[in-house]
Amino acid sequence: MQASKITSIRLIKHEAVPDCGSFEVRYGDGRPSRYFYWDELPSRRLRPEALKRDVALETARTVARTARDELEAINR
């Protein structure tokens, strides 16, 4: 099994403004990253894809976990 490929999926938090940011699921195999934007202040949620922080984090974790499981299945 190639552990380097499996661990190459990273979850990165970006928060430049307090209570507003994104979670990035970064793939080490060259695929484009996926971003899950969040904002805790409903009045600032100008982007329709902006979620609450806990929903964005759980969604990003699910995507990262699914991608990791797929890589593990391929590497078996």
Side-chain angles (χ1 to χ4, degrees):
M1 182 157 55
Q2 297 176 351
S4 63
K5 284 190 176 183
I6 293 170
T7 60
S8 65
I9 298 170
R10 296 178 46 205
L11 182 60
I12 303 167
K13 178 184 174 188
H14 302 281
E15 186 176 5
V17 177
D19 297 325
C20 178
S22 67
F23 293 102
E24 174 187 4
V25 177
R26 185 177 293 174
Y27 304 97
D29 61 3
R31 286 184 279 173
S33 294
R34 290 193 57 192
Y35 294 86
F36 300 90
Y37 298 97
W38 59 274
D39 197 329
E40 288 300 306
L41 297 175
S43 62
R44 289 193 313 206
R45 286 190 201 135
L46 301 176
R47 301 176 74 153
E49 68 272 12
L51 306 166
K52 291 187 79 177
R53 183 188 184 281
D54 57 342
V55 174
L57 177 58
E58 188 55 40
T59 305
R61 282 181 176 161
T62 300
V63 168
R65 205 174 293 129
T66 301
R68 186 198 64 220
D69 292 346
E70 289 172 0
L71 282 176
E72 286 177 354
I74 290 170
N75 290 325
R76 283 186 193 156

